[in-house]
Amino acid sequence: MNSKIYSSAPVQWRVSDGLSPYPLAHDYMKETAINIATQGAQEEVWLLQHPPLYTAGTSANPSDLVDANRFEVFETGRGGQYTYHGPGQRVGYVMLDLRKRGRDVSAFVRTLEQWIIDSLAEFEVKAERRCGRVGVWVVRDDGREEKIAAIGVRLKKWVSFHGISINVSPDLSHFGGIVPCGITDHGVTSLEDLGKSTTLTDLDQALEKHFVRLFGPIKTKA
């Protein structure tokens, strides 16, 4: 347990079925983060999927948008560059109050990475960090390194929003319309691509287990 990040206050845990439109989800998490910061609202984690789209972070390079006409492009306020969201990818929006979790952004990001790494280990996937490359990576048998999960967060008054995305079974060809996260030397992969028949529900159970261990208790949202 990372004592800088752990809190005993229960976090609202929400899982949505189907595909959630990105603009609506973006507005919801932004409003929730503001309410946490200014009104003491309960912290929340929201697990969902989006229809296919590309999102541009604050560091996005226009030249990395290879095919601007392929999917909708949404300019968002999170850190990072271009990324893809779509069916078969578990997105987790993490709205946590770092004022009561140590005010240590580096520790927060490392713990998000560890949350993903520990969750993927439940499916016998060895995922790793890489210095200078935000996100979570796997090494293939031939030595190739491929990205299986992305992290992009923003803080407002020390409350986080945006979060993580883990590739379970998306159409990996959809990443071809961008240079994912500005990295050209490495590809992307998924649990399905690694030969794992993991469902979103399977992953959600692992994420819940390791969130509680790393960040603190949850309260399931009806």
Side-chain angles (χ1 to χ4, degrees):
M1 177 192 308
N2 187 335
S3 59
K4 290 184 178 181
I5 299 300
Y6 191 91
S7 173
S8 60
V11 173
Q12 197 81 9
W13 188 266
R14 176 184 181 191
V15 181
S16 289
D17 296 326
L19 302 179
S20 301
Y22 188 89
L24 294 179
H26 178 270
D27 290 348
Y28 175 85
M29 67 175 166
K30 185 176 180 180
E31 180 181 1
T32 300
I34 291 172
N35 289 340
I36 292 170
T38 62
Q39 301 177 28
Q42 190 173 25
E43 297 172 298
E44 183 169 334
V45 170
W46 184 13
L47 304 182
L48 67 158
Q49 296 178 88
H50 290 304
L53 83 157
Y54 299 128
T55 66
T58 54
S59 302
N61 184 336
S63 66
D64 288 341
L65 184 59
V66 179
D67 186 354
N69 298 317
R70 190 167 190 178
F71 298 122
E72 176 188 2
V73 180
F74 190 96
E75 294 189 7
T76 182
R78 62 163 172 79
Q81 303 184 50
Y82 283 105
T83 194
Y84 165 77
H85 292 313
Q89 183 188 73
R90 176 52 86 210
V91 173
Y93 291 134
V94 183
M95 294 154 273
L96 299 180
D97 189 348
L98 298 195
R99 294 172 299 184
K100 57 186 181 184
R101 294 177 181 269
R103 295 178 186 255
D104 189 329
V105 178
S106 294
F108 175 56
V109 173
R110 288 195 303 270
T111 308
L112 288 176
E113 291 173 336
Q114 196 63 50
W115 179 31
I116 297 169
I117 290 168
D118 292 347
S119 297
L120 293 178
E122 296 282 336
F123 310 104
E124 299 182 343
V125 172
K126 183 181 180 183
E128 303 173 342
R129 298 178 178 87
R130 284 294 180 267
C131 182
R133 285 190 255 139
V134 176
V136 175
W137 303 77
V138 297
V139 181
R140 305 301 291 259
D141 292 340
D142 61 3
R144 287 178 295 133
E145 295 184 5
E146 295 181 328
K147 193 170 192 176
I148 194 168
I151 297 174
V153 296
R154 183 178 180 184
L155 298 182
K156 191 172 186 65
K157 298 183 183 295
W158 286 101
V159 175
S160 67
F161 56 113
H162 298 283
I164 68 170
S165 61
I166 303 173
N167 296 331
V168 179
S169 57
D171 184 339
L172 294 179
S173 72
H174 289 179
F175 285 89
I178 56 171
V179 178
C181 301
I183 297 171
T184 58
D185 297 334
H186 305 281
V188 293
T189 190
S190 66
L191 285 164
E192 181 180 64
D193 190 46
L194 295 172
K196 306 296 181 181
S197 57
T198 310
T199 67
L200 288 169
T201 300
D202 294 334
L203 179 60
D204 292 347
Q205 291 172 349
L207 288 169
E208 181 178 326
K209 171 184 174 181
H210 291 287
F211 183 92
V212 170
R213 183 175 59 83
L214 292 168
F215 290 94
I218 66 169
K219 178 182 178 182
T220 302
K221 189 165 187 174

